[in-house]
Every structure is written in structure tokens, then in C-alpha cells.
Amino acid sequence: MKIALSATAPSLDADIDPRFGRCQCFVIVKPDTMEFEAFENSNVAAGGGAGISTAQTIAGKGVEVVLTGNCGPNAYQTLLAAGVQVITGVSGKVRDAIEGFKAGKFATTSQPSVEAHFGTGGGMGMGRGMGMGRGMGMGRGMGMGRGVAMPPAGPIPQAQSPEDETELLRGQTEMLKQQLEAIQQRIEELREKDK
């Protein structure tokens, strides 16, 4: 069995990247032996179609399960069509996520967890008319602001059991913490420029 995890770096000790199609790296792990291969995601800066292209790449590597923070509708449908199980709401370290999977802590996702184009940076509009963003945090800075993309507002996906829902909510909390840190970092950068 092979499991693909969206990651911020090519290592078992990397954090889970909350994006699937535009994540920095993928770590593909054989959970029985913890043998892994890692590679950079060539679609991280794609203008469009990142989710589909990334899903096709992952499916082409013989992956059976994807663990990620979020998965949009195009990537989700592509993975589903290829027979790949998708699990969203995953956060923390890659190594810990594999252990959680082996312990049965995650439930298969029954639908995409975000809308199309999540993570492209069309978020909060903090740019003071400065145009294209710098790619702080979750997004690539393609919007009007400085590139901190926020997930669309909407209902929190319900998991199959209270334990699964707790894990899902913890993953979403971790993602929001990372977004808040990126926003706070950007505020500090702007304060330094104003001095």
C-alpha cells in the first residue's frame, strides 16, 4: 500500500501542507515499512488546473490513499475516479499522520473539503492597492491582497463518529492557526516597513 501526504518539505518530519493541488511537496509512504519517496509538487505555481494535474500525478504513482488538509472538487473527483481514497482534515507531522492512519483515526472524506481554487490567494485583501501578492502562508498571492487565502465560509464537514469529527476539527483548528500566524507575520513585516 502507498499513502501520499501533502507536505511542506520532502521529509517524514515535515508538516502536512493544508493544500492538496498546490502543496509544496508530496511524501509517498509505505506504512508497513515507513519507506518513502518525496518530491516537489510541480503544480504549486500552476495558473490553473493544479488540482486535476496533481491528482493525476499522484494516481499515476500507484497511491491508494491521500492524506491532506484540504482537497478541492476537481482534485477530489479525479482521485475518486482513479480509485484513490481521500482523507482531509489532516494536520501535524507527516510521520504522525501515518501513525494516525495506521491506528484507524481518520475517516474517508465523502466530499471535497473546500471550493475550487482554494489556496490561490484570492483571500483577505490586505494589500493597500499593491496588486499581486507575495504568497504569504496559504496562498500564492494571486488576489487583490497580500496573498493570505482563507477557506470559504460554510458548514464544518461532519465526520462519521465523534472521534472522527474531533480529529477533523483539530485539523481545521491547526490550519486556522497556521493562517493566523501568516497574517501576524505579514502585519509585523508591514510595521517594520512603516518604521
Side-chain angles (χ1 to χ4, degrees), residues 66-146:
V66 166
L67 301 178
T68 187
N70 291 289
C71 187
N74 295 333
Y76 181 83
Q77 290 301 325
T78 303
L79 291 167
L80 199 62
V84 178
Q85 177 185 359
V86 179
I87 298 173
T88 60
V90 179
S91 63
K93 301 287 184 195
V94 169
R95 185 181 309 276
D96 296 337
I98 291 292
E99 293 304 323
F101 176 81
K102 289 180 356 184
K105 292 184 177 179
F106 302 122
T108 301
T109 303
S110 62
Q111 63 187 17
S113 61
V114 292
E115 295 176 8
H117 307 291
F118 171 76
T120 57
M124 297 202 18
M126 301 186 326
R128 296 189 206 161
M130 300 177 95
M132 300 298 273
R134 289 188 354 159
M136 300 298 298
M138 305 294 292
R140 291 185 316 123
M142 298 296 288
M144 300 285 294
R146 299 299 280 173

Side-chain angles (χ1 to χ4, degrees), residues 3-179:
I3 299 174
L5 299 95
S6 58
T8 58
S11 162
L12 290 176
D13 296 316
D15 288 322
I16 298 293
D17 193 317
R19 303 161 299 175
F20 173 77
R22 296 181 191 280
C23 69
Q24 291 295 312
C25 300
F26 279 99
V27 179
I28 298 178
V29 181
K30 293 180 180 177
D32 293 339
T33 63
M34 293 302 280
E35 181 182 337
F36 73 97
E37 71 170 289
F39 59 94
E40 290 186 16
N41 181 7
S42 61
N43 296 304
V44 71
I52 293 171
S53 181
T54 301
Q56 290 171 335
T57 298
I58 292 302
K61 293 202 173 268
V63 167
E64 296 174 48
V65 179
V66 166
L67 301 178
T68 187
N70 291 289
C71 187
N74 295 333
Y76 181 83
Q77 290 301 325
T78 303
L79 291 167
L80 199 62
V84 178
Q85 177 185 359
V86 179
I87 298 173
T88 60
V90 179
S91 63
K93 301 287 184 195
V94 169
R95 185 181 309 276
D96 296 337
I98 291 292
E99 293 304 323
F101 176 81
K102 289 180 356 184
K105 292 184 177 179
F106 302 122
T108 301
T109 303
S110 62
Q111 63 187 17
S113 61
V114 292
E115 295 176 8
H117 307 291
F118 171 76
T120 57
M124 297 202 18
M126 301 186 326
R128 296 189 206 161
M130 300 177 95
M132 300 298 273
R134 289 188 354 159
M136 300 298 298
M138 305 294 292
R140 291 185 316 123
M142 298 296 288
M144 300 285 294
R146 299 299 280 173
V148 179
M150 297 300 287
I156 295 172
Q158 299 295 311
Q160 296 174 349
S161 71
E163 294 83 15
D164 292 338
E165 186 173 354
T166 299
E167 284 300 314
L168 180 65
L169 292 172
R170 283 186 181 138
Q172 290 173 338
T173 300
E174 184 62 33
M175 181 182 63
L176 290 171
K177 284 180 187 176
Q178 291 172 3
Q179 290 172 337

